[in-house]
């Protein structure tokens, strides 16, 4: 049995299911191991929902892997570290292909927060169906964030540089409020927001301001942001929110309490760093 197959079997048993979500998660861990072995995390940090899932036990699956340089540079490119990623998958028992995504063909949903200089690729391999993980690196990132070194133990023990929880929270709140998806919503943003409030994570408003400034060209105060957040929470169709996230959560009954009023009460419990 290959390392990859051992990891899939272990996570399937742990989760009580064997789905493409499990295989994607194993791919994510192997990709992180390869990036670590290649020295990527000397220059970059992991953030987003997959970071929250793998390092903080967020009880929902997450598809994409988002990275940010820790300083603005134009000489660090994620493809430089792909030989180490490909070798890591080979050692785990799989040959993978890594293909650059054509951002001109991205749909509006996919490109909601994809800046022009973001590098985006798909790592994929063929089993019964194609298993694919999208990875992105922001080479001109909003700054004012902190990082920490966190441990994974499979496929071997290694450290990954990650955004701290308050800065992960800031990125999520920027996404929740500013995604320009019109009729479609991303319920996974709402799920993560609930998680941060439940665990009393303070929101780093300085990093949130920096993200809004760079992505949206706006200066905002804490009061203005909270007003905009409450408007979003009050007026979004909560059934659409549930429909988006339900296929990703371990326990769908967590969503039974969800309503617009419930999320407005969560907003009242936000604390700031």
């Amino acid at each position: 049995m290959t390392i990859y197959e051992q990891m899939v079997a272990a996570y399937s048993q742990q989760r009580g299911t064997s789905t493409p979500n499990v295989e994607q998660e194993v791919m994510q861990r192997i990709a992180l191991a390869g990036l670590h072995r290649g020295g990527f995390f000397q220059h970059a940090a992991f953030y987003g929902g997959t970071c929250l899932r793998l390092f903080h036990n967020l009880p929902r699956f997450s598809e994409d892997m988002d990275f940010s340089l820790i300083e603005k540079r134009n000489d660090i490119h994620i493809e430089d570290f792909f030989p180490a990623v490909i070798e890591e998958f080979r050692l785990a028992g799989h040959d993978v292909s890594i293909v650059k995504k054509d951002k001109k063909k991205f749909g509006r949903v996919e490109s909601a927060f994809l800046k022009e200089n973001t590098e985006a690729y798909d790592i994929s391999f063929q089993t019964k169906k194609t298993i694919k993980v999208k990875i992105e690196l922001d080479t001109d990132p909003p700054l004012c964030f902190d990082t920490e070194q966190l441990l994974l133990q499979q496929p071997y023990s290694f450290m990954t540089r990650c955004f701290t929880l308050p800065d992960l929270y800031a990125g999520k709140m920027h996404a929740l409020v500013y995604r320009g998806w019109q009729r479609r919503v991303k319920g996974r943003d709402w799920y993560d927001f609930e998680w941060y409030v439940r665990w009393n994570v303070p929101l780093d408003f300085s990093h949130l301001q920096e993200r809004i400034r760079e992505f949206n060209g706006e200066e905002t105060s804490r009061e203005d942001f909270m007003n905009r957040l409450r408007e979003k929470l009050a007026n979004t169709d909560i059934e659409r929110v549930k429909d988006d996230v339900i296929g990703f959560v371990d326990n769908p009954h967590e969503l039974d309490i969800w309503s617009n009023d419930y999320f407005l009460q969560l907003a009242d419990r936000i604390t700031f760093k």
Side-chain angles (χ1 to χ4, degrees):
M1 184 179 287
T2 66
I3 293 172
Y4 175 85
E5 290 168 339
Q6 290 172 353
M7 291 175 69
V8 168
Y11 290 123
S12 296
Q13 183 176 25
Q14 179 182 344
R15 301 293 177 192
T17 182
S18 179
T19 68
N21 286 336
V22 170
E23 292 200 64
Q24 277 189 320
E25 192 161 302
V26 170
M27 284 184 68
Q28 291 162 355
R29 291 171 182 264
I30 295 171
L32 286 174
L35 290 169
H36 164 81
R37 203 185 292 274
F40 178 67
F41 295 111
Q42 297 174 31
H43 312 286
F46 191 25
Y47 73 99
T50 304
C51 181
L52 201 61
R53 167 75 172 181
L54 297 184
F55 290 97
H56 299 285
N57 299 313
L58 178 73
R60 74 162 178 88
F61 287 102
S62 181
E63 297 174 302
D64 303 334
M65 304 181 74
D66 301 309
F67 302 97
S68 168
L69 291 183
I70 58 175
E71 59 181 341
K72 295 178 184 288
R73 295 181 61 169
N74 57 16
D75 61 335
I76 301 294
H77 303 284
I78 198 167
E79 62 262 31
D80 296 338
F81 302 90
F82 286 166
V85 173
I86 291 168
E87 175 64 8
E88 200 66 53
F89 273 96
R90 188 192 68 77
L91 292 172
H94 262 294
D95 293 326
V96 296
S97 62
I98 304 180
V99 179
K100 189 168 188 175
K101 296 183 70 66
D102 184 352
K103 288 182 286 185
K104 293 179 181 178
K105 296 181 180 179
F106 277 17
R108 179 175 295 174
V109 169
E110 190 174 21
S111 62
F113 288 104
L114 194 64
K115 293 195 294 187
E116 186 168 336
N117 53 356
T118 300
E119 299 173 355
Y121 292 81
D122 281 333
I123 304 175
S124 61
F125 62 82
Q126 188 74 36
T127 54
K128 295 178 183 178
K129 60 181 290 187
T130 299
I131 307 295
K132 184 183 298 184
V133 170
K134 184 173 72 175
I135 60 174
E136 295 178 4
L137 172 66
D138 190 344
T139 60
D140 184 26
L143 300 177
C144 299
F145 61 82
D146 294 320
T147 65
E148 58 185 341
Q149 297 285 346
L150 297 178
L151 173 67
L152 279 184
Q153 291 186 282
Q154 289 184 331
Y156 63 92
S157 292
F158 64 96
M159 293 290 187
T160 299
R161 185 197 294 263
C162 301
F163 278 41
T164 61
L165 278 170
D167 294 304
L168 287 169
Y169 192 4
K172 181 53 62 177
M173 296 309 290
H174 175 242
L176 193 158
V177 173
Y178 283 87
R179 281 191 201 276
W181 284 14
Q182 298 180 340
R183 287 178 57 81
R184 184 178 169 187
V185 296
K186 190 167 183 180
R188 284 156 278 180
D189 292 342
W190 295 58
Y191 187 92
D192 296 0
F193 165 48
E194 179 192 43
W195 186 92
Y196 284 113
V197 175
R198 174 176 291 125
W199 295 105
N200 299 312
V201 177
L203 173 60
D204 186 346
F205 193 70
S206 294
H207 182 55
L208 177 57
Q209 283 179 307
E210 193 68 17
R211 297 188 74 84
I212 295 169
R213 186 177 297 120
E214 291 210 13
F215 280 98
N216 308 101
E218 296 178 12
E219 299 292 337
T220 189
S221 66
R222 186 181 298 182
E223 181 181 6
D224 288 341
F225 177 78
M226 291 301 298
N227 288 337
R228 188 161 181 166
L229 170 64
R230 290 189 176 97
E231 181 181 3
K232 183 92 171 224
L233 298 177
N235 295 319
T236 302
D237 184 340
I238 202 67
E239 293 307 316
R240 290 179 181 270
V241 177
K242 290 182 182 180
D243 287 345
D244 176 80
V245 74
I246 196 165
F248 294 88
V249 298
D250 294 343
N251 177 16
H253 292 296
E254 288 183 274
L255 312 185
D256 291 347
I257 195 174
W258 282 23
S259 67
N260 296 93
D261 181 65
Y262 172 64
F263 279 95
L264 286 168
Q265 291 197 41
L266 291 182
D268 293 335
R269 300 186 178 210
I270 292 174
T271 59
F272 291 90
K273 177 180 172 182

